[in-house]
Amino acid sequence: MGQLVGCVTVELDDLEERITELRGEIRLAKAGGDDAKVRRLRAELRKAERAWDDALEPGFEPDDVPLLPIREQVHQALALLGVPSATKMIVAVNEAFFAGRVTTTQLTSLRRDEEKSFRSSPYARPYYLCPALTAELLSPARGLLAISTWPMDVRIIGPLSPRTGFLTSAIRVAEHITRLTGAGGDASTEAYRLLTRMARNIPGATEGFGRADPARVISAADAELVVHLESDRRHRREAAERATARLNEVTRLFGAGLKTASRSAS
């Protein structure tokens, strides 16, 4: 028994030393701008950390390990919202409805990886997570993610889109809470907290300081949405026609560069 404990201790010491080395190498690679090396070293670091967990307690599975990969967590949050969304909104919806854990930093890396994957093997995946495109230049809209399978005009952001997108998201969140409660279950406290925060930015959607009522939020958001929606759709449809005619299969998903954008604008 003592010999077994000694072997485990030696293994843990070796793994801890390797983990420390890898973290130092990652810092150096990051400082040197070698992103490919950083990704390779981080994968090796995760493998070493899992080996450390296994050596310490074989067969142990932590309770907080997410069941879905990050890209699938992001996909289900976007599918619920139905419109291009900011990373903070994606994180909030994922936590409120799916008990997921995604950080904004992970989303930034994920978008780069999605484009790289598409360029190396187009359409190999059933969907890609891509940036929304600006209506004016058809360039990537900073901080807004969409799903590649959405129609082009849905993935485009015009002058009115931030507001119509917010109202649409509030309606979708309220509807999802209604479905959960209507099925005999209940939405989480985080879900109601998210809806309440959104409702405070919609005239007539809240009353007092209690949690928002989903039906009231839907009604108030619909009332404002009807004012802006048709104009927003027309602007996005026109931009989508330009994008379809002028962009290639990569830039239709991930946006035009400066040169392409200038030609499209002209």
Side-chain angles (χ1 to χ4, degrees):
M1 180 68 177
Q3 185 178 2
L4 177 60
V5 172
C7 290
V8 170
T9 301
V10 170
E11 184 178 1
L12 287 171
D13 289 343
D14 290 343
L15 285 167
E16 286 170 0
E17 183 177 347
R18 181 56 182 150
I19 287 169
T20 301
E21 289 175 355
L22 285 167
R23 286 172 176 164
E25 291 175 22
I26 289 170
R27 284 196 297 271
L28 289 174
K30 186 67 175 176
D34 192 342
D35 292 338
K37 187 174 182 180
V38 169
R39 286 193 293 273
R40 178 177 60 78
L41 290 172
R42 287 182 66 182
E44 190 175 343
L45 174 61
R46 288 192 293 270
K47 185 177 180 180
E49 288 172 336
R50 286 195 297 270
W52 189 92
D53 287 335
D54 290 341
L56 180 67
E57 192 171 350
F60 173 73
E61 284 289 340
D63 293 334
D64 60 352
V65 172
L67 296 178
L68 289 177
I70 290 172
R71 74 185 303 269
E72 291 187 32
Q73 292 184 55
V74 175
H75 180 268
Q76 67 182 0
L78 281 170
L80 188 153
L81 291 164
V83 292
S85 302
T87 52
K88 287 185 178 180
M89 178 63 76
I90 294 168
V91 170
V93 167
N94 189 44
E95 290 177 350
F97 291 102
F98 306 110
R101 292 187 308 164
V102 177
T103 66
T104 54
T105 303
Q106 288 173 317
L107 291 182
T108 301
S109 300
L110 179 64
R111 203 212 62 73
R112 288 197 299 264
D113 292 341
E114 292 287 288
E115 181 174 354
K116 186 177 296 184
S117 173
F118 184 86
R119 286 180 179 275
S120 64
S121 184
Y123 305 110
R125 296 174 174 178
Y127 67 85
Y128 291 85
L129 302 172
C130 54
L133 305 185
T134 62
E136 183 180 4
L137 296 178
L138 305 178
S139 57
R142 185 174 180 180
L144 293 177
L145 283 178
I147 301 174
S148 64
T149 53
W150 288 347
M152 175 67 76
D153 62 319
V154 175
R155 293 189 285 109
I156 284 180
I157 300 295
L160 293 172
S161 301
R163 187 58 182 172
T164 61
F166 177 80
L167 294 169
T168 301
S169 296
I171 292 169
R172 297 285 291 254
V173 167
E175 288 175 341
H176 197 66
I177 289 176
T178 301
R179 282 194 295 271
L180 290 173
T181 55
D186 195 15
S188 67
T189 301
E190 289 78 10
Y192 276 106
R193 187 178 295 124
L194 171 62
L195 180 65
T196 302
R197 290 204 310 269
M198 299 179 78
R200 286 172 183 155
N201 291 288
I202 303 171
T206 58
E207 184 177 14
F209 297 96
R211 74 182 189 183
D213 172 54
R216 183 171 185 146
V217 173
I218 292 170
S219 177
D222 268 333
E224 183 180 345
L225 190 61
V226 72
V227 176
H228 308 297
L229 190 57
E230 187 49 44
S231 178
D232 181 49
R233 281 177 174 167
R234 183 172 61 253
H235 197 98
R236 288 187 288 108
R237 281 197 298 265
E238 291 170 356
E241 290 173 2
R242 283 191 289 113
T244 301
R246 302 182 184 185
L247 300 184
N248 60 39
E249 62 180 7
V250 175
T251 52
R252 283 174 196 159
L253 292 185
F254 297 97
L258 292 178
K259 291 182 179 178
T260 307
S262 298
R263 288 197 298 269
S264 297
S266 63

